[in-house]
Amino acid sequence: MPLDPSFVGRTYPPTAPYQVGREKIREFAGAIGATDPAHHDPEAARALGHPDVVAPPTFPVIVTMAASSQIIEDPALGVDYSRLVHGDQRFAYTRPVFAGDELVCTNTIEDVSTRGGHGFLTTRTDVSTVGGEPVVAVWARYVIRGEA
């Protein structure tokens, strides 16, 4: 089933809050080899003017990938998850993510197209604090492989 282009512009309800923990940041930083002390040591982060440890730039993928299930699992859109490939991702920061942040995601479908028998889906996830402070916008492009 092809993707439904009428979904372009659709925005989904905000997700439940995600509590950013110090250990989650440390674990993520360790997993990607980010050794900057500001990712691991609260005092090092505070010395740089941050309120607590600061997340590496790609950390929001943890919350945005979970939030994308709203779109991917929407049966009316027509995504066949068994054929989905993550094609691209980019981040536009308003401010860094810190331990102690409570983040919510709001997903919007920005583009739906078909090329060469494959579906292409571009989403934007606006990540903000529960108080409404913008943190980062994350764009993802998914390719839904066509039938062979």
Side-chain angles (χ1 to χ4, degrees):
M1 171 164 102
L3 298 175
D4 184 345
S6 72
F7 275 65
V8 172
R10 180 173 292 192
T11 297
Y12 291 77
T15 61
Y18 176 88
Q19 179 70 43
V20 178
R22 194 179 282 164
E23 284 307 308
K24 289 291 185 187
I25 291 174
R26 288 177 177 149
E27 290 168 359
F28 186 86
I32 65 168
T35 59
D36 187 315
H39 301 312
H40 303 274
D41 178 8
E43 292 309 314
R46 286 187 191 104
L48 295 171
H50 302 304
D52 206 321
V53 294
V54 59
T58 54
F59 180 86
V61 74
I62 290 173
V63 291
T64 60
M65 287 301 290
S68 70
S69 65
Q70 287 180 312
I71 295 171
I72 306 247
E73 295 173 2
D74 186 337
L77 177 58
V79 174
D80 179 350
Y81 189 76
S82 71
R83 305 191 72 71
L84 185 137
V85 177
H86 187 261
D88 184 34
Q89 190 141 16
R90 66 185 169 95
F91 302 82
Y93 273 90
T94 303
R95 70 149 175 90
V97 173
F98 303 110
D101 281 341
E102 284 188 86
L103 303 176
V104 295
C105 297
T106 304
N107 292 305
T108 301
I109 296 176
E110 288 204 337
D111 188 51
V112 171
S113 62
T114 303
R115 293 188 301 272
H118 305 291
F120 291 83
L121 173 65
T122 303
T123 64
R124 186 186 78 241
T125 303
D126 293 309
V127 182
S128 60
T129 66
V130 292
E133 178 187 7
V135 176
V136 60
V138 181
W139 287 265
R141 174 165 294 157
Y142 302 98
V143 180
I144 297 79
R145 296 173 293 125
E147 298 291 329

